[in-house]
């Protein structure tokens, strides 16, 4: 309890300290993520070449993905609009110029694709990140990818880089402790996470490619590539339906 309280205070101090700083949003987020990773005791390993532009497509295990990825690479994320209203995290997401998708509007994906296209068009030295599973998991599998947010990359012919994210711990099951999924709630999950110091995330970057086939075909290909990079199996959907919006578990 004492350790958790101390580390929670350190995390709050890191939030306040970073909030007072400024700079380019993607670089500001990177510096913030590095500070948060230090508080969490998170170590991050990277394999493959870091992309510097285009779209980055990854599996999603929870909010620790953002900290790990942003700590090694300037980037911009896509998240559900609800995240904008989260205490503290929402303010950071807005300041980092996160692209929010409104789940209550049928036009949400079209609007998000316009924002993505603009982001990739003006991007210099940063990637735009989507989690096409549409939700998070415990990391034991990669869920089917929705293809909607691949439209902007298809039309702009920008490079798309697959990324496999893998969690590891020596003292506990990372799928239960580190991953944030299902019916978990943020504050209890975060409080429990602060008990541990042996958090490790490996980021496996694949080869960037220009999309050549239809979005749905490319979504299946990318799911398989990400699953291989993450070292897990991919789930197979009996029927693939295009959702009206994406439901991302974290920003």
């Amino acid at each position: 309890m004492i350790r958790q309280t101390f580390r929670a205070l350190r995390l709050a101090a890191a939030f306040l300290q970073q909030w007072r700083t400024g700079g380019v949003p993607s670089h500001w987020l990177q510096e913030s993520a590095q500070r948060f990773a230090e508080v969490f005791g998170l170590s991050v390993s990277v394999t493959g070449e870091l992309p510097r532009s285009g779209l980055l497509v990854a599996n999603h295990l929870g909010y620790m993905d953002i900290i790990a990825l942003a700590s090694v690479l300037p980037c911009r994320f896509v998240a559900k609009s609800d995240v904008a209203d989260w205490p503290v995290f929402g303010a950071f997401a807005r300041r980092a110029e996160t692209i929010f998708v409104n789940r209550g509007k049928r036009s949400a994906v079209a609007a998000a694709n316009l924002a993505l296209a603009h982001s990739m068009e003006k991007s210099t030295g940063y990637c735009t990140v989507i989690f096409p599973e549409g939700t998070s998991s415990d990391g034991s599998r990669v869920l089917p990818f929705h293809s909607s947010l691949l439209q902007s990359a298809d039309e702009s012919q920008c490079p798309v880089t697959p990324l496999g994210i893998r969690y590891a711990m020596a003292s506990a099951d990372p799928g239960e402790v580190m991953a944030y999924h299902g019916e978990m709630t943020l504050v209890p999950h975060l409080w429990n996470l602060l008990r541990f110091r042996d958090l490790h995330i490996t980021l496996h970057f694949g080869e960037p490619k220009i999309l050549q086939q239809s979005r749905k075909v490319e979504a299946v290909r990318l799911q398989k590539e990400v699953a291989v990079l993450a070292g897990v199996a991919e789930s197979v959907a009996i029927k693939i339906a295009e959702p009206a919006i994406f439901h991302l578990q974290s920003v």
Side-chain angles (χ1 to χ4, degrees):
M1 178 71 74
I2 295 177
R3 176 184 295 179
Q4 286 168 282
T5 301
F6 175 71
R7 294 180 68 197
L9 291 173
R10 283 190 61 202
L11 186 60
F15 270 114
L16 290 173
Q17 187 173 12
Q18 283 305 115
W19 189 255
R20 296 190 181 112
T21 63
V24 177
S26 58
H27 294 121
W28 174 82
L29 178 61
Q30 183 174 26
E31 183 178 306
S32 300
Q34 290 169 349
R35 287 182 179 272
F36 301 153
E38 181 181 1
V39 175
F40 280 112
L42 172 66
S43 61
V44 181
S45 298
V46 173
T47 64
E49 186 174 348
L50 292 175
R52 296 300 178 186
S53 62
L55 190 67
L56 189 57
V57 176
N59 59 317
H60 191 31
L61 286 76
Y63 56 85
M64 295 299 288
D65 299 346
I66 284 77
I67 295 176
L69 185 51
S71 71
V72 302
L73 182 70
C75 48
R76 187 182 186 187
F77 292 88
V78 176
K80 62 178 183 177
S81 58
D82 307 44
V83 172
D85 299 322
W86 285 10
V88 182
F89 291 96
F92 265 74
R94 292 193 300 273
R95 187 163 174 179
E97 295 188 341
T98 298
I99 298 171
F100 295 108
V101 183
N102 189 332
R103 294 182 296 162
K105 295 183 178 179
R106 296 180 64 86
S107 59
V109 169
N113 269 306
L114 287 175
L116 275 167
H118 180 64
S119 177
M120 289 183 288
E121 179 182 352
K122 72 172 186 176
S123 68
T124 302
Y126 75 86
C127 289
T128 305
V129 184
I130 63 171
F131 300 110
E133 291 169 292
T135 188
S136 56
S137 72
D138 64 0
S140 63
R141 65 199 186 285
V142 176
L143 304 174
F145 280 8
H146 301 301
S147 65
S148 299
L149 292 185
L150 293 177
Q151 178 180 337
S152 56
D154 184 27
E155 293 177 349
S156 64
Q157 290 292 282
C158 76
V160 178
T161 303
L163 166 64
I165 302 175
R166 189 186 305 180
Y167 288 4
M169 296 180 67
S171 62
D173 182 347
E176 295 180 359
V177 174
M178 292 179 66
Y180 181 64
H181 60 97
E183 300 302 317
M184 294 177 176
T185 51
L186 182 60
V187 173
H189 182 274
L190 181 59
W191 179 251
N192 182 60
L193 188 63
L194 291 172
R195 294 170 50 206
F196 301 89
R197 292 288 300 181
D198 60 329
L199 312 180
H200 184 79
I201 295 179
T202 303
L203 304 174
H204 297 273
F205 291 90
E207 292 293 326
K209 297 178 181 177
I210 303 297
L211 301 184
Q212 300 291 337
Q213 304 183 72
S214 70
R215 288 186 290 112
K216 289 187 178 181
V217 171
E218 293 287 3
V220 173
R221 176 185 65 81
L222 285 165
Q223 182 205 5
K224 292 180 181 297
E225 288 191 22
V226 169
V228 170
L229 291 167
V232 297
E234 74 270 15
S235 296
V236 178
I238 296 176
K239 181 179 180 181
I240 299 177
E242 288 295 317
I245 45 74
F246 278 73
H247 179 78
L248 300 186
Q249 190 71 16
S250 62
V251 60

